[in-house]
Amino acid sequence: MVGSSHEALHRIFQKDPALLTRALQRVLHVPFPEPREIAALNVDLTEIEPVERRVDTLLRAETDEGTYLLVVESQGEVDPRKRGSWPYYLSYLHEKYRCEPVLIVITQSRATAKWASQPIRFGFPGWDSLTVRPLVLGPDNVPVIADERQAERDVPLAVLSAMTHGRGRQAPAILEALASALRTIDSDSAAVFVQFVDSCLADPQAKQMWRDLMTAIQYFWRHPLAEQVREEGREQGRAEGKAEMVLQILQWRGIPVPDTVRERVNNCTDLDQLDVWAKRAVQATDAAELFETE
């Protein structure tokens, strides 16, 4: 189970390596050649001396123009030590594999993205002995995918969008679009993507909304994260927890909830009926639509 946003932000490219080249081409507008094949490599860069160095994700892309190593680093905050480690990674990998390394940094922070995008220069003014220019994916260039159809066209990119932008006022639309798009892919992949998003949502309200959406549509019912959600529901009482879930979905979608609707939902003890209302809440435009066919 993915336990942190740091891990999720780079592991999504292990789950779908082709997403990385699409991000380079479409988000960063880098003319990276289309790979014939992409393979994951050992991320351990430790030398014989006892100095451990490890990249986050390492992929090898075979293209018509040559072989490239895609070095993915998930970066949560500014870290001056990377000025030394990133050039080392690239030099070591070039020496070991004899092909061109490309450094891609992914972050949820605008400040970190701005810092990471600055070239790392070794040498004296006017004469750089070595220059490292990271490619950076962050909130300012990863697209906000809040449209269901757009999310369905490229589900992994929609996942990356939710991981990068899943906070604030735009969170409900992004998460709803992704939740709908996950219906179109296989359940195993959907369960992995659900983990990635859950690990990256730092806003407690956004995380709860995501879990409510996932519980309502039962994408990952047999997944450990689903079991965690169910256990939390048992502690509160199954009916009470589901009623709260229905109201929270409406609240997060910005739909006003009259007292009459709130009272009817809270007084309901029929678990099947609450499940129906939860699914309707995901698509409703008015709270009264929960009961429209009754």
Side-chain angles (χ1 to χ4, degrees):
M1 183 172 178
V2 178
S4 69
S5 61
H6 174 92
E7 188 178 3
L9 280 169
H10 70 86
R11 278 189 56 189
I12 186 174
F13 298 117
Q14 297 176 15
K15 171 63 180 172
D16 186 351
L19 172 64
L20 187 55
T21 57
R22 293 201 301 277
L24 293 177
Q25 295 165 351
R26 302 178 192 176
V27 178
L28 299 179
H29 305 291
V30 174
F32 190 83
E34 196 65 33
R36 297 189 306 271
E37 180 184 354
I38 301 181
L41 301 179
N42 191 328
V43 299
D44 194 344
L45 307 185
T46 305
E47 300 180 73
I48 296 176
E49 297 295 326
V51 178
E52 181 176 340
R53 299 182 187 274
R54 190 179 299 270
V55 298
D56 288 331
T57 287
L58 180 61
L59 304 171
R60 180 170 57 203
E62 303 285 351
T63 78
D64 290 338
E65 299 177 20
T67 300
Y68 296 90
L69 297 175
L70 304 179
V71 185
V72 183
E73 284 283 281
S74 174
Q75 196 66 33
E77 58 187 17
V78 174
D79 184 355
R81 294 174 299 177
K82 297 298 184 180
R83 172 178 165 82
S85 58
W86 284 345
Y88 170 86
Y89 294 164
L90 301 182
S91 298
Y92 177 87
L93 289 169
H94 185 273
E95 178 67 18
K96 180 177 181 178
Y97 292 100
R98 293 298 177 179
C99 51
E100 299 299 325
V102 180
L103 175 62
I104 301 104
V105 179
I106 180 166
T107 181
Q108 295 174 292
S109 164
R110 283 187 168 84
T112 302
K114 182 178 180 180
W115 162 79
S117 65
Q118 298 301 310
I120 299 171
R121 305 182 189 277
F122 288 167
F124 59 88
W127 191 274
D128 298 334
S129 299
L130 174 66
T131 303
V132 174
R133 297 176 59 198
L135 294 165
V136 181
L137 293 167
D140 289 329
N141 53 24
V142 172
V144 174
I145 299 180
D147 176 77
E148 178 181 331
R149 299 301 176 212
Q150 186 181 2
E152 289 177 358
R153 285 194 293 270
D154 193 337
V155 175
L157 186 60
V159 174
L160 185 62
S161 176
M163 291 162 62
T164 308
H165 299 287
R167 64 181 68 185
R169 290 185 299 175
Q170 56 193 353
I174 293 172
L175 297 178
E176 288 167 23
L178 176 58
S180 179
L182 287 175
R183 299 174 187 266
T184 65
I185 65 175
D186 66 277
S187 59
D188 289 340
S189 293
V192 174
F193 288 145
V194 166
Q195 274 196 84
F196 289 160
V197 175
D198 188 84
S199 297
C200 285
L201 292 174
D203 184 335
Q205 291 181 310
K207 185 184 288 285
Q208 186 59 52
M209 178 188 179
W210 180 243
R211 293 186 171 189
D212 290 343
L213 285 169
M214 293 300 97
T215 301
I217 50 188
Q218 300 181 11
Y219 280 139
F220 62 125
W221 197 244
R222 286 184 290 273
H223 194 274
L225 185 58
E227 180 58 35
Q228 179 181 344
V229 174
R230 291 197 296 274
E231 187 61 35
E232 292 171 357
R234 293 189 193 102
E235 293 175 359
Q236 299 174 0
R238 296 181 69 191
E240 179 183 348
K242 287 190 176 183
E244 182 180 354
M245 176 183 67
V246 173
L247 299 175
Q248 282 183 343
I249 292 174
L250 292 173
Q251 177 184 344
W252 265 98
R253 297 186 65 235
I255 297 175
V257 181
D259 290 341
T260 54
V261 172
R262 186 180 303 276
E263 181 178 359
R264 183 170 177 181
V265 172
N266 282 330
N267 289 339
C268 181
T269 58
D270 185 334
L271 297 178
D272 291 336
Q273 182 64 72
L274 288 167
D275 281 337
V276 171
W277 289 348
K279 293 174 183 177
R280 290 178 183 171
V282 174
Q283 301 293 335
T285 57
D286 185 279
E289 292 178 18
L290 296 181
F291 322 120
E292 61 182 2
T293 60
E294 300 175 16

